[in-house]
Amino acid sequence: MDDKKLEELKEIAKESRVWIIKSLAEAKSGHPGGSLSCIDILTYLYFHAMNVDPTNPDDPDRDRFVLSKGHCAPALYTVLALKGFFPKEELLKLRKLGSILQGHPDAVKVPGVDASTGSLGQGLSIANGMALAGKLDRKDYTVYTIIGDGETEEGQIWEAAMTAAHYQLGNLIAFLDYNHLQIDGRIEDVMGNGNFTNRFKAFGWHVIDIDGHDLQAIDEAVKAAKQEKDAPTMIIAHTVKGKGVKFMEHVADWHGKAPSYEQALEAIQLLGGTWEGK
Amino acid sequence: MQKIATRDAYGKALLELGRRYENIVVLDADLSKSTKTELFAKEFPERFFQMGIAEQDMMATAAGLAFCGKVAFASTFAIFATGRAFEQIRNSICYPKVNVKVCATHAGITVGEDGGSHQSVEDIALMRSIPNMTVVVPADAVSTEKAVEAIYKHQGPVYLRLGRPGVPVIYDDKYQFEIGKATKLKDGSDAAVIATGIMVSLALDAAEMLREEGVSIQVWDMSTIKPLDVEAVKEAAKTGAIITAEEHSIIGGLGGAVAEAAAANSPCLMGFVGIEDTFGESGTPNELMEKYKLTPESIRDKVKEILAKKSSS
């Protein structure tokens, strides 16, 4: 990826973070911490890697994306809106009655959302199904998904991990958003020992560890993943919960709490953005 | 009378459908020999996905395939499909209304010797409570074959409830299955028995017993539990007494569905033949049907009980 593209993606990621904060402040509920930790990956996917067309969201040949950690919908909605799938103004109706933007992604309502998710543990299986369909139809699309680190506590993730390796889903690229925090505290304190690299390797996955906020590293990892044709790739993305908003970073409380307008204005200022009219 | 298990009819119909339609895929959770999806698997190995003993993963994987234009038939035993994977069916399949057909075999107590842990007596109640879900319970092999094609053509999720042992074939090839449409198999004036699944043929036997006693009853095959044929319930209610019969708990299944429709449209006396809010146990299917009062005699007695109430009211 050249410097120009890199700067462009950084700018989009920054703008996305501002929109995430705005939409959550308007919604008065939702999940900022995990949305901010996975937004660099989403920006990279939708503005560099994925073959998607906002004017033809149901193109059978398009790349697919499943947000398995569906509570981070504000991040997905933001990149979809910036990409042009629907007007940006819709983002300010997040979680409100009548809006297409439900608290968790709804594939029926939102153009560009490929699967309905939110109940943790199910998205990786859905992504597997899409990858199986791609192989069966001899199509060369790639299926991307992001799972949460806490989400791996769901047993179904490991069922799906077995399936992806068993069926040699080289057309599946998953990210694990390893921000180390879940609602009740640190991942390692709530359940398990982390060590996702060894665990996914043991399940037969091609595993790459990266800094999940380094767009260049994300690019290299996806390129390496595409070289692997006979196994699914898990990109363990080491991230910071609340990344970009200093007072939210590394704080579990910001998992599922929306900022007040005052906090939102402060956050947007920290991000170098503005919010007119507030 | 010839007896064929509805699961055998399902396996045969699925294979036939697979030959005609390229977009059908089938998933199973290590029970393909029992659910009979192995017939499809042998002829179309590329379109068959063995998912191992992992029903939750199977349901959501089926959803993923359906999101990409496939019509996914996912099979396992009813207890695991609707119990273990309930929330996957709800959130990954029904919420986005994708084309997954949950075809569960070994429903009810006629699973037999495996015992209460494996006998689903609540699956109809669970499945019909989910928005967007259609629930079909065929009475015999012929209706199963027709239903499999109908649910393939239906856009959206379906639960198809199938059984393990052979059951009498009551229909001939002229039978037309339509989702949401009940079939009146016998006309009568004193009461109406609305049955589903394997209880339909037993209801016909009960009607014969009652006829000999001078009691005239209607017999309905309610092969779709949801959407329920409300017009059929209204017509049945004109007799003044409806008795439902199902191999399922009396709570929330066919009886519940018919009672809801009758209460809202045409209230009448009702009686419920089914499993009385209890788990099953090990035994042969016939022994269990006797013990849990799922027999023509039980239907006959229930009809007479309700008719006695009717005449005293």
Side-chain angles (χ1 to χ4, degrees), chain B:
Chain B
M1 194 180 274
Q2 192 193 9
K3 283 189 173 186
I4 303 174
T6 52
R7 61 174 166 144
D8 283 312
Y10 165 62
K12 202 177 122 200
L14 194 59
L15 172 63
E16 187 50 45
L17 221 54
R19 287 174 178 153
R20 283 157 53 201
Y21 302 106
E22 272 282 307
N23 64 347
I24 291 180
V25 294
V26 178
L27 303 89
D28 206 303
D30 194 38
L31 287 168
S32 64
K33 290 184 178 69
S34 301
T35 63
K36 305 299 173 188
T37 59
E38 69 169 351
L39 296 174
F40 182 96
K42 277 181 184 147
E43 190 159 324
F44 305 107
E46 228 198 356
R47 288 195 270 149
F48 175 80
F49 300 103
Q50 173 58 265
M51 300 305 293
I53 310 166
E55 296 79 13
Q56 303 171 61
D57 184 42
M58 174 172 76
M59 294 304 174
T61 304
L65 283 154
F67 270 120
C68 293
K70 303 297 173 193
V71 180
F73 284 72
S75 284
T76 179
F77 289 1
I79 188 80
F80 309 129
T82 67
R84 174 73 67 106
F86 174 82
E87 205 229 321
Q88 283 73 17
I89 293 175
R90 181 197 187 276
N91 274 326
S92 287
I93 295 172
C94 292
Y95 184 58
K97 205 178 177 185
V98 289
N99 242 335
V100 176
K101 318 301 172 185
V102 178
C103 299
T105 65
H106 295 65
I109 58 168
T110 51
V111 168
E113 293 82 348
D114 276 354
S117 59
H118 284 52
Q119 295 163 355
S120 69
V121 296
E122 60 288 274
D123 54 310
I124 295 175
L126 287 168
M127 291 297 103
R128 84 177 181 91
S129 69
I130 309 176
N132 289 342
M133 186 58 119
T134 291
V135 179
V136 174
V137 186
D140 74 348
V142 173
S143 58
T144 299
E145 284 181 31
K146 308 245 176 185
V148 172
E149 176 150 11
I151 68 170
Y152 165 75
K153 289 176 176 164
H154 174 81
Q155 190 68 29
V158 177
Y159 177 62
L160 182 70
R161 186 185 209 239
L162 304 162
R164 175 183 173 237
V167 290
V169 177
I170 57 174
Y171 290 113
D172 61 29
D173 274 348
K174 291 197 285 291
Y175 170 74
Q176 293 294 318
F177 174 87
E178 192 184 326
I179 290 174
K181 198 104 183 73
T183 306
K184 186 159 73 173
L185 292 168
K186 205 173 251 313
D187 211 354
S189 53
D190 297 323
V193 173
I194 299 179
T196 197
I198 64 171
M199 297 305 289
V200 174
S201 77
L202 304 187
L204 289 169
D205 295 343
E208 193 53 32
M209 290 175 181
L210 286 161
R211 189 185 60 79
E212 284 165 16
E213 296 180 34
V215 180
S216 154
I217 65 165
Q218 287 174 13
V219 176
W220 292 83
D221 173 6
M222 190 62 83
S223 50
T224 307
I225 310 290
K226 184 184 171 187
L228 194 77
D229 187 343
V230 177
E231 292 309 312
V233 175
K234 283 194 211 164
E235 190 183 331
K238 284 179 188 159
T239 63
I242 293 177
I243 291 84
T244 57
E246 62 197 302
E247 185 205 5
H248 180 275
S249 171
I250 53 166
I251 298 173
L254 170 74
V258 171
E260 289 158 17
N265 297 287
S266 45
C268 67
L269 282 170
M270 282 195 68
F272 306 93
V273 173
I275 296 157
E276 300 277 345
D277 192 20
T278 183
F279 291 112
E281 63 185 292
S282 289
T284 66
N286 283 341
E287 286 168 345
L288 292 166
M289 293 292 274
E290 286 284 337
K291 174 159 180 180
Y292 291 88
K293 299 191 162 49
L294 302 176
T295 58
E297 291 78 12
S298 314
I299 298 171
R300 175 197 63 195
D301 294 348
K302 186 61 80 177
V303 168
K304 286 162 82 173
E305 179 192 323
I306 302 302
L307 286 179
K309 281 186 193 169
K310 188 178 158 190
S311 56
S312 68
S313 63

Side-chain angles (χ1 to χ4, degrees), chain A residues 15-35:
Chain A
E15 194 188 349
S16 296
R17 284 191 160 87
V18 171
W19 275 107
I20 288 169
I21 297 295
K22 283 184 195 173
S23 65
L24 285 164
E26 287 287 350
K28 297 185 176 65
S29 70
H31 301 82
S35 295

Side-chain angles (χ1 to χ4, degrees), chain A:
Chain A
M1 187 161 50
D2 61 32
D3 286 351
K4 186 165 166 274
K5 187 75 200 178
L6 185 64
E7 288 312 310
E8 186 193 323
L9 291 181
K10 279 183 181 168
E11 199 51 42
I12 296 168
K14 190 183 95 179
E15 194 188 349
S16 296
R17 284 191 160 87
V18 171
W19 275 107
I20 288 169
I21 297 295
K22 283 184 195 173
S23 65
L24 285 164
E26 287 287 350
K28 297 185 176 65
S29 70
H31 301 82
S35 295
L36 293 169
S37 68
C38 69
I39 191 62
D40 294 306
I41 297 164
L42 275 164
T43 300
Y44 169 80
L45 291 177
Y46 278 90
F47 289 90
H48 191 62
M50 286 172 64
N51 166 34
V52 288
D53 176 3
T55 64
N56 187 13
D58 298 323
D59 180 357
D61 295 326
R62 74 192 187 280
D63 290 327
R64 265 74 170 179
F65 174 76
V66 179
L67 185 63
S68 197
K69 45 176 280 180
H71 55 281
C72 298
L76 175 58
Y77 295 157
T78 296
V79 291
L80 289 175
L82 295 184
K83 186 83 181 170
F85 281 91
F86 52 84
K88 278 182 266 193
E89 292 66 41
E90 192 68 29
L91 293 171
L92 302 178
K93 297 179 194 157
L94 172 68
R95 289 176 167 249
K96 292 190 194 303
L97 187 66
S99 170
I100 59 168
L101 303 183
Q102 299 293 296
H104 295 82
D106 182 335
V108 177
K109 290 192 166 74
V110 190
V113 170
D114 292 325
S116 300
T117 52
S119 176
L120 295 176
Q122 302 185 27
L124 186 56
S125 302
I126 296 172
N128 283 346
M130 292 175 171
L132 286 168
K135 285 184 81 163
L136 184 59
D137 291 340
R138 313 265 190 279
K139 288 187 184 292
D140 61 2
Y141 63 73
T142 302
V143 181
Y144 297 92
T145 182
I146 300 178
I147 66 171
D149 45 7
E151 189 181 4
T152 63
E153 289 154 23
E154 289 282 4
Q156 190 184 342
I157 287 290
W158 302 101
E159 295 181 1
M162 274 190 277
T163 299
H166 181 83
Y167 283 102
Q168 303 180 309
L169 299 179
N171 56 348
L172 175 72
I173 300 177
F175 289 86
L176 192 151
D177 183 8
Y178 196 9
N179 62 31
H180 293 269
L181 292 171
Q182 59 189 111
I183 298 177
D184 276 354
R186 285 166 41 82
I187 297 291
E188 291 78 4
D189 294 334
V190 173
M191 185 51 66
N193 61 7
N195 207 351
F196 297 114
T197 307
N198 285 352
R199 285 155 83 185
F200 277 98
K201 275 187 180 162
F203 272 73
W205 285 59
H206 172 219
V207 183
I208 304 171
D209 272 79
I210 58 162
D211 172 349
H213 300 302
D214 180 343
L215 291 159
Q216 202 69 261
I218 297 171
D219 185 46
E220 283 161 24
V222 168
K223 280 182 183 148
K226 288 203 168 179
Q227 296 307 308
E228 177 59 68
K229 301 291 181 199
D230 298 323
T233 294
M234 181 61 71
I235 300 173
I236 311 282
H238 296 262
T239 57
V240 172
K241 198 148 189 163
K243 176 73 178 180
V245 178
K246 273 286 169 267
F247 62 89
M248 289 183 175
E249 289 185 357
H250 303 290
V251 182
D253 269 357
W254 285 106
H255 171 94
K257 186 178 75 173
S260 65
Y261 280 122
E262 292 70 29
Q263 289 168 324
L265 283 173
E266 189 190 340
I268 289 166
Q269 208 164 33
L270 286 168
L271 289 163
T274 53
W275 193 359
E276 290 88 14
K278 292 286 171 191

